[in-house]
Amino acid sequence: MTDSLGFQKRIQGVYQSMLSKQEMKVPKHERIKIDLHCHDYNSDVTDELLGRILRFPETWLKTEELILNLEKNQCNAITITNHNNARSCWEVMEKGRDILPASEFTCYFAEYNTHLHVLAYGFSPEQEAKLKHYRRNLYHFLTYTVENNIPTILPHPLYMYRAKEQINPEIFEKLLLMFERIEVMNGQRDIWQNLLTWEWLNSITEEKIDNLQKKHGINSANFCKNIVKKHFTGGSDDHMGHFAGSCGSYLHVPNLGERQKNTPMSQLALEAIRNGDICPYGSVANHQKLNIAFIDYFSQIALHMKEPGLIRMFLHQGSLKDKLICLGFSNMMQELRRHRFTMFFFKTLHEALKGQRPGILTRFKVSPDFKPLIREIDEIAKSKDKDQEQYFSLLKNSIPKMFTTLNRVIAKRIKDKSSQMEQIDLTADIDLSSLINKFEIPTHFRALFEGSHDRKTDDVSQVNLSEFLDTLSFPMLASAFIAGASLISARVLMNQRKFVNNFAKSLGKHEHPERVLWLTDTLVDKNGVSSSLSAKLKFITKNNLDIDFLICHDSLQNQPHLKVVRPVGRFSVPSYPDQTFHVPDILEIKKIFFQGGYDRIMCSTELLMGLVALYLKESMAVPVYFFLHTDWMEFVNKTTNLEPQVVDRIRRILRAFYLQFDGIFVMNQDHANWLTGPSIGYDSKKLHYTAHWVDEAFHPKKQNRRMVFDNKVEENDIVILYAGRISDEKGVFDLPVLMKNLEKDYPNVKLIVAGKGPAEERLKQQLPNAVFLGWVDKTKMPDIYSQADMLILPSRFDTFGNVILEAMSCGTAVAAYDEKGPKAIIKTNKNGILAKDSGDLKQKLELFIRDSSFRLSLKQNSLKRANDFKPELIMEAFVKSIGLSGANKLSSSKSEQRRVQLLPEQIGKELKKAI
């Protein structure tokens, strides 16, 4: 097992150690403290295309506020590095204040079709104009700065603006030759990127530089005074003012006390930067600082956004997709501005981040549901003037608390509304088909928020959100606002995760561990999915694989390879009253994912955890896989009477969901054909075959048959067993007709039913001679299987059929329809019975009842067949399919590998290929 649980702590420790050693090099009485990378409102043109189309500046922060925050963090020299301009520096100088002129220029590296940032210091207004001109070509830009003694810094080198194609690693070889000052402490980047930058610079040798100069034909001396020694710098890269000065650079100025009496600090700072007398200070905090910055940024967008202009928007450069996204976002934000309470939230939160507490009336008048929210906002405001680390620590905890509060309010209000609706006869005017068919969002947002008196279509939801906003929509909007900011901040940092990890591999240091987080909504419930997942968890724990399960549950506790989060709400559906769905806190799961050092996701359920999986995919830029357990289309067809067009809408919803996954695991050929066919259109190259196995407890047991079945059967009876949920979709109502025909000709045939479900009472009425055992604990099932002659599985939608393997493992024959899962396991008339329809099933069961030698042969071969499903083989193929290169070798003997040939054809091929 890799050192995954300690990955984040380990790299943080290494980075902090490096930082401490650097700080010791500069005597405290001879250091200038300066944030060499910070922004204010004059960073008004963003690098991101969407921001330019919508005319968003990068920040609304006033220069005076930025300087105040820098001084609060004891910076004794000031600079402002706005994008492609030094306007703020000139404005401060005009007021007679001392400031080091600087800017962060976006330069074009043509040969790699890449834009990268370059910090430049100490230039004049005339030189600024030249720099703006030369930034179109990185070589020309750097040549000009060297000729004019303008020191430059390469900030956040592992983060570049470029086209979608991969970054060419050669670019870093050339950057080493052209820059002698490189930022290794960027407050908005994560520890991993900062640390790798530091390790990259530490790997430089004179021989390496010589080889690179020959390779690329670049004379490093044209750009650097010392071609081997690199100088490490730091800056907060702060745009909102919250963390300006919390990290930056110490500049060493010998005899500082005397020199500052006659020389401006800006000149002393410039001298130290030119000489390379720099070391970084402060701390970084992965994505949390950037997350807080985005939360404040979105708040200010809501408060300050202006109409971007439709014609201007569509005349702007960019794809039609980009412009449509901007149009939708603009419409939504304009409508949100009409909702007073949502705007109050944005305004109050923004002011709190600046240190302004909510008013006394606000704190007392707000509804009880939102008092915890206001308390957290108030605590944020009160902590603004405290120590920077204390302030940041409180922010890290307060934002998740606010998110949890909002989600609990949502869950509570949905529950309250649900209880009110239970008193209404919904079936009088609408059925499920109508509900699904009418579920739609209008194309014009005003109708969504205000409703319309002139509806032109029956398919658009009759929802007036202006009325709904007062009860449910504000907490949902605010929750989505926080989750969205968290997603974007993480995505900005993790978008180049693959490249950064390859960079770590090239250095041979700090490579990200390979670990899987397996999300599921069910693990300990009374269903086949839970049983199979529990078996996998047991195997993973026993073999200490780099896979952890995560479930949202009220009472389960954390254990090795199992993470448990508590729900913010819960609900159940009428058709499955025994199944409780727990609503997870998505930010808590994201935190677990990050801190646990995971780098890929497996998901087993489509509902809540399916959405969490896709959220993690987008925010953390990781591959996400899906384990398909249930045939939902067959389930819908068997349990509902929906109209064809409604069923097709469900198919399209499933298609949109499944197409988001980087790989899907299936357990039968029918499902594979459905996914890769026209219904879904999934890429067959991303499809993987797998299987289940059963617990070792399932094996033949010698027991007294009469005792096992409470004296309700005789020793000579032919016992046919049904084990599973008693519901329509399980095909249980095929049993009454079947048993009526069999009992007439074979009075010694006895049906045993083990299980519960919503159709139990109806089935009892139609099977008066059957023995109903109710729900049977899993530990007792091996005894029941062992004393049965035949397990019957009348379901047509089981993707695998755990009960088939359970029965076979106990030496019990199985009869099922020739569908999906069963036909992948059973070879008819060899180790079981496969039937085309109920008539065919009856005929084959009659042969089984009449012919004792046939009966014995099936039972013996069933036991042999069950032994083919070895967990070692199945899991070895599984972990390799999801790319765990460091997985343990779970099976190696030739006899075990030969068993692959005996598994279902497609599964066998997949396993054979993997092994």
Side-chain angles (χ1 to χ4, degrees):
M1 189 174 182
T2 58
D3 178 28
S4 56
L5 294 179
F7 177 70
Q8 292 298 333
K9 288 185 177 180
R10 178 166 54 81
I11 63 174
Q12 187 172 14
V14 173
Y15 187 76
Q16 202 60 46
S17 174
M18 288 180 166
L19 197 63
S20 299
K21 290 177 181 178
Q22 281 282 318
E23 290 182 9
M24 291 173 63
K25 295 179 180 179
V26 182
K28 290 185 179 180
H29 64 284
E30 293 184 337
R31 64 170 59 158
I32 292 176
K33 186 177 183 181
I34 186 171
D35 186 343
L36 289 173
H37 193 173
C38 55
H39 303 263
D40 69 11
Y41 77 102
N42 274 314
S43 277
D44 51 1
V45 180
T46 69
D47 282 304
E48 287 78 10
L49 177 63
L50 300 186
R52 296 200 301 273
I53 294 175
L54 291 168
R55 294 198 295 189
F56 293 158
E58 289 205 342
T59 178
W60 287 265
L61 179 66
K62 295 179 180 177
T63 305
E64 294 78 9
E65 290 182 35
L66 172 60
I67 293 175
L68 181 62
N69 284 325
L70 291 169
E71 291 174 344
K72 279 183 179 179
N73 282 303
Q74 301 177 335
C75 289
N76 52 1
I78 303 295
T79 188
I80 302 173
T81 55
N82 286 325
H83 287 297
N84 301 315
N85 75 84
R87 287 195 299 270
S88 294
C89 296
W90 309 135
E91 290 168 4
V92 171
M93 291 176 70
E94 286 176 3
K95 295 177 182 178
R97 297 191 61 177
D98 183 39
I99 190 170
L100 175 61
S103 178
E104 184 174 20
F105 292 95
T106 302
C107 298
Y108 186 53
F109 208 169
E111 61 200 272
Y112 297 105
N113 190 27
T114 297
H115 290 87
L116 51 83
H117 289 171
V118 179
L119 294 164
Y121 304 89
F123 49 80
S124 67
E126 295 74 23
Q127 289 172 326
E128 180 189 5
K130 291 285 188 180
L131 290 170
K132 288 181 180 179
H133 172 73
Y134 286 128
R135 74 184 183 90
R136 300 168 190 168
N137 183 299
L138 180 64
Y139 292 108
H140 295 167
F141 183 92
L142 292 177
T143 300
Y144 180 80
T145 60
V146 170
E147 290 173 350
N148 290 273
N149 201 20
I150 299 171
T152 58
I153 294 173
L154 176 66
H156 48 70
L158 295 186
Y159 182 80
M160 300 180 185
Y161 295 92
R162 60 170 288 106
K164 292 183 179 180
E165 60 265 21
Q166 291 295 316
I167 295 173
N168 188 332
E170 277 192 355
I171 192 173
F172 293 95
E173 297 175 353
K174 293 186 178 181
L175 292 177
L176 274 181
L177 300 175
M178 294 190 289
F179 286 91
E180 61 179 314
R181 304 170 200 86
I182 298 178
E183 187 180 70
V184 298
M185 159 73 77
N186 183 289
Q188 297 297 325
R189 304 294 143 189
D190 66 340
I191 291 173
W192 192 30
Q193 291 186 34
N194 281 306
L195 176 58
L196 289 176
T197 302
W198 207 319
E199 296 283 16
W200 171 50
L201 299 181
N202 282 337
S203 70
I204 298 172
T205 63
E206 188 171 351
E207 181 184 5
K208 184 175 183 178
I209 294 294
D210 287 342
N211 291 336
L212 291 179
Q213 289 184 109
K214 294 174 184 176
K215 178 180 177 180
H216 297 295
I218 296 175
N219 185 356
S220 185
N222 291 336
F223 302 98
C224 307
K225 290 181 181 178
N226 188 322
I227 65 174
V228 177
K229 184 180 179 181
K230 302 299 177 184
H231 306 299
F232 302 166
T233 74
S236 68
D237 200 3
D238 187 279
H239 288 66
M240 300 297 141
H242 307 308
F243 306 108
S246 64
C247 56
S249 297
Y250 289 132
L251 308 179
H252 185 204
V253 180
N255 197 22
L256 175 63
E258 286 299 318
R259 295 196 62 193
Q260 68 180 348
K261 293 178 182 178
N262 302 309
T263 308
M265 292 293 271
S266 61
Q267 290 302 310
L268 295 174
L270 181 60
E271 176 188 306
I273 295 171
R274 283 173 174 160
N275 294 335
D277 297 328
I278 317 169
C279 76
Y281 75 83
S283 62
V284 292
N286 295 311
H287 61 277
Q288 293 101 327
K289 286 185 178 179
L290 194 58
N291 180 33
I292 293 163
F294 270 111
I295 286 174
D296 193 23
Y297 184 59
F298 290 152
S299 296
Q300 293 186 71
I301 287 176
L303 294 171
H304 300 296
M305 182 176 178
K306 298 178 181 179
E307 168 60 54
L310 185 63
I311 295 176
R312 177 195 160 278
M313 186 184 298
F314 278 91
L315 290 177
H316 203 287
Q317 68 176 16
S319 68
L320 179 61
K321 178 182 177 182
D322 291 330
K323 295 169 185 178
L324 290 175
I325 290 173
C326 289
L327 178 62
F329 183 81
S330 175
N331 267 266
M332 182 60 74
M333 293 305 297
Q334 294 295 342
E335 292 301 335
L336 287 182
R337 286 168 61 85
R338 297 163 57 85
H339 186 236
R340 288 192 305 168
F341 198 74
T342 303
M343 293 304 296
F344 163 76
F345 170 74
F346 291 147
K347 183 174 183 291
T348 304
L349 180 57
H350 170 62
E351 290 175 346
L353 289 169
K354 293 168 61 177
Q356 184 175 334
R357 298 177 64 186
I360 296 176
L361 286 178
T362 297
R363 281 177 267 160
F364 284 101
K365 287 178 66 177
V366 73
S367 70
D369 284 343
F370 297 121
K371 283 190 180 294
L373 194 68
I374 296 299
R375 278 198 296 269
E376 289 299 330
I377 292 175
D378 190 43
E379 288 298 319
I380 290 171
K382 288 192 296 183
S383 69
K384 177 65 176 176
D385 292 328
K386 293 182 179 179
D387 174 80
Q388 186 72 22
E389 289 301 317
Q390 285 182 285
Y391 172 61
F392 177 59
S393 177
L394 185 136
L395 276 176
K396 283 196 300 183
N397 293 322
S398 290
I399 300 300
K401 285 181 182 178
M402 291 165 59
F403 184 73
T404 300
T405 296
L406 290 163
N407 286 334
R408 284 178 176 160
V409 171
I410 293 168
K412 176 179 177 292
R413 293 190 174 183
I414 289 177
K415 184 177 180 181
D416 291 344
K417 285 207 171 277
S418 298
S419 62
Q420 295 171 16
M421 294 180 73
E422 286 176 0
Q423 304 171 16
I424 305 172
D425 182 12
L426 295 178
T427 60
D429 300 309
I430 192 168
D431 57 20
L432 182 60
S433 177
S434 300
L435 184 63
I436 294 174
N437 209 31
K438 288 177 178 288
F439 184 75
E440 188 54 272
I441 296 175
T443 55
H444 49 302
F445 287 104
R446 184 59 54 84
L448 182 66
F449 281 81
E450 290 189 344
S452 172
H453 300 292
D454 184 23
R455 297 283 182 175
K456 300 297 184 183
T457 173
D458 292 333
D459 291 333
V460 177
S461 299
Q462 305 291 312
V463 178
N464 187 330
L465 285 191
S466 60
E467 179 182 330
F468 189 54
L469 283 170
D470 291 330
T471 57
L472 191 59
S473 197
F474 162 68
M476 291 184 73
L477 286 169
S479 175
F481 165 78
I482 294 174
S486 178
L487 185 152
I488 293 173
S489 64
R491 183 73 188 196
V492 166
L493 292 180
M494 299 297 172
N495 193 42
Q496 295 174 343
R497 172 193 283 267
K498 186 176 180 180
F499 161 74
V500 173
N501 200 45
N502 287 335
F503 192 82
K505 288 180 181 179
S506 69
L507 293 174
K509 292 185 176 182
H510 314 302
E511 185 178 346
H512 199 286
E514 294 181 349
R515 279 183 65 76
V516 181
L517 187 63
W518 193 323
L519 307 179
T520 178
D521 289 297
T522 182
L523 187 64
V524 292
D525 302 295
K526 298 174 181 178
N527 58 56
V529 176
S530 287
S531 296
S532 63
L533 293 178
S534 296
K536 287 176 174 59
L537 174 58
K538 183 178 178 180
F539 182 88
I540 287 165
T541 304
K542 178 181 177 181
N543 290 275
N544 201 26
L545 299 181
D546 291 316
I547 303 173
D548 289 339
F549 274 81
L550 184 143
I551 187 171
C552 182
H553 202 273
D554 284 304
S555 58
L556 281 178
Q557 299 297 322
N558 284 334
Q559 63 187 56
H561 295 279
L562 176 62
K563 308 293 182 184
V564 182
V565 296
R566 299 297 176 221
V568 296
R570 56 196 60 76
F571 65 92
S572 59
V573 294
S575 55
Y576 281 82
D578 297 332
Q579 173 74 58
T580 300
F581 295 93
H582 298 90
V583 182
D585 186 325
I586 198 168
L587 293 191
E588 184 180 357
I589 296 176
K590 179 170 171 273
K591 180 181 178 182
I592 290 171
F593 181 89
F594 182 79
Q595 292 183 344
Y598 303 100
D599 72 332
R600 63 205 72 190
I601 294 286
M602 171 60 67
C603 184
S604 278
T605 44
E606 285 88 348
L607 193 56
L608 299 170
M609 285 301 181
L611 298 177
V612 173
L614 296 182
Y615 178 88
L616 290 176
K617 174 186 177 178
E618 293 303 319
S619 63
M620 305 304 290
V622 293
V624 181
Y625 301 88
F626 194 79
F627 198 124
L628 201 55
H629 291 275
T630 305
D631 186 337
W632 289 110
M633 293 309 299
E634 189 71 22
F635 177 84
V636 168
N637 288 326
K638 289 290 184 183
T639 59
T640 67
N641 294 313
L642 298 177
E643 297 174 1
Q645 65 267 30
V646 179
V647 173
D648 189 60
R649 169 165 285 205
I650 294 172
R651 176 193 63 80
R652 283 182 279 147
I653 291 172
L654 289 173
R655 178 179 64 189
F657 177 77
Y658 292 138
L659 288 178
Q660 304 306 309
F661 288 87
D662 298 282
I664 297 180
F665 287 79
V666 296
M667 293 177 287
N668 64 73
Q669 189 61 47
D670 287 358
H671 238 152
N673 294 341
W674 177 71
L675 283 169
T676 57
S679 293
I680 302 297
Y682 194 77
D683 185 353
S684 61
K685 294 178 182 177
K686 299 194 292 184
L687 208 62
H688 307 282
Y689 293 86
T690 188
H692 293 320
W693 67 88
V694 296
D695 193 90
E696 296 172 353
F698 289 91
H699 58 82
K701 292 195 172 184
K702 292 184 179 181
Q703 296 284 355
N704 183 290
R705 172 179 275 191
R706 296 187 67 186
M707 289 181 61
V708 170
F709 295 119
D710 295 327
N711 296 316
K712 293 177 181 177
V713 300
E714 300 297 330
E715 287 294 333
N716 294 326
D717 284 345
I718 303 296
V719 176
I720 296 177
L721 172 68
Y722 170 79
R725 176 177 164 83
I726 305 176
S727 55
D728 290 82
E729 77 274 7
K730 291 292 186 179
V732 294
F733 288 100
D734 285 5
L735 296 176
V737 176
L738 179 66
M739 291 308 300
K740 182 178 180 181
N741 292 328
L742 291 177
E743 288 170 350
K744 182 169 60 177
D745 297 326
Y746 307 99
N748 64 329
V749 172
K750 199 74 174 179
L751 176 65
I752 305 292
V753 179
K756 291 179 68 66
E760 185 175 358
E761 292 305 316
R762 281 192 293 140
L763 190 64
K764 283 182 177 180
Q765 293 174 9
Q766 297 183 38
L767 287 170
N769 297 324
V771 176
F772 284 80
L773 302 179
W775 179 260
V776 179
D777 189 85
K778 190 175 180 178
T779 59
K780 297 179 180 179
M781 285 305 298
D783 290 332
I784 292 174
Y785 284 128
S786 297
Q787 297 307 312
D789 295 289
M790 170 72 74
L791 173 76
I792 187 166
L793 187 69
S795 170
R796 292 180 181 271
F797 85 103
D798 282 60
T799 56
F800 188 75
N802 283 343
V803 290
I804 297 175
L805 279 188
E806 289 175 358
M808 285 182 162
S809 298
C810 296
T812 303
V814 181
Y817 289 119
D818 191 9
E819 301 269 357
K820 300 180 178 68
K823 74 178 184 181
I825 304 172
I826 299 170
K827 299 298 181 184
T828 192
N829 294 335
K830 182 178 180 181
N831 53 39
I833 290 173
L834 289 177
K836 297 177 182 178
D837 51 40
S838 57
D840 187 30
L841 181 60
K842 172 181 173 294
Q843 291 179 7
K844 290 178 177 177
L845 280 175
E846 287 177 336
L847 175 62
F848 179 83
I849 294 166
R850 289 196 310 267
D851 190 335
S852 60
S853 61
F854 177 59
R855 193 159 62 243
L856 180 61
S857 173
L858 287 190
K859 294 176 75 170
Q860 290 174 340
N861 288 333
S862 291
L863 186 59
K864 292 178 182 178
R865 178 61 172 147
N867 289 332
D868 292 334
F869 290 83
K870 289 286 187 180
E872 293 82 7
L873 286 169
I874 294 167
M875 285 302 291
E876 183 173 7
F878 175 80
V879 296
K880 288 184 177 180
S881 294
I882 58 176
L884 287 183
S885 58
N888 298 340
K889 187 69 177 175
L890 299 174
S891 62
S892 56
S893 70
K894 292 182 179 180
S895 60
E896 282 185 326
Q897 293 188 26
R898 279 198 296 270
R899 288 186 184 276
V900 171
Q901 303 289 356
L902 302 174
L903 289 168
E905 182 180 359
Q906 290 299 330
I907 300 174
K909 288 180 181 179
E910 186 82 7
L911 295 178
K912 185 177 180 181
K913 180 181 178 182
I915 296 169

